[in-house]
Amino acid sequence: MIPFDLTGIDFCMTALFIIIFMDQLEKNKDHFPAVVGIVIAIICSIVFGSQNFMFPSLIISSMILLVKQGGTSYE
């Protein structure tokens, strides 16, 4: 098999998500999804710890955004 080195992938993924976040803040007028993501990630990081916060924060943020979208019409 071909050896595959993942050294540095954590830095690349972090940089990618920061760029996506900054792009959303610049291009969208509604900052609600970005604020929800940050707030929920911080809360889940405190509650679940830095090793286990990603999945709960993803689920909670998705639920909040789905509930908000259900009450809003995007026509």
Side-chain angles (χ1 to χ4, degrees):
M1 289 260 113
I2 300 173
F4 192 69
D5 185 21
L6 293 176
T7 304
I9 193 75
D10 53 346
F11 173 76
C12 293
M13 294 303 292
T14 302
L16 173 70
F17 287 119
I18 289 172
I19 295 300
I20 291 171
F21 175 75
M22 290 174 51
D23 187 53
Q24 181 189 12
L25 284 178
E26 289 175 356
K27 292 185 178 178
N28 292 337
K29 294 178 184 175
D30 184 18
H31 298 302
F32 182 74
V35 172
V36 166
I38 290 174
V39 170
I40 296 300
I42 291 170
I43 291 170
C44 286
S45 178
I46 293 168
V47 172
F48 297 107
S50 64
Q51 296 295 320
N52 300 316
F53 81 99
M54 189 62 74
F55 189 66
S57 64
L58 176 65
I59 297 298
I60 295 168
S61 298
S62 296
M63 288 174 30
I64 291 172
L65 294 175
L66 283 172
V67 167
K68 182 188 182 285
Q69 183 182 5
T72 309
S73 176
Y74 294 110
E75 296 179 16

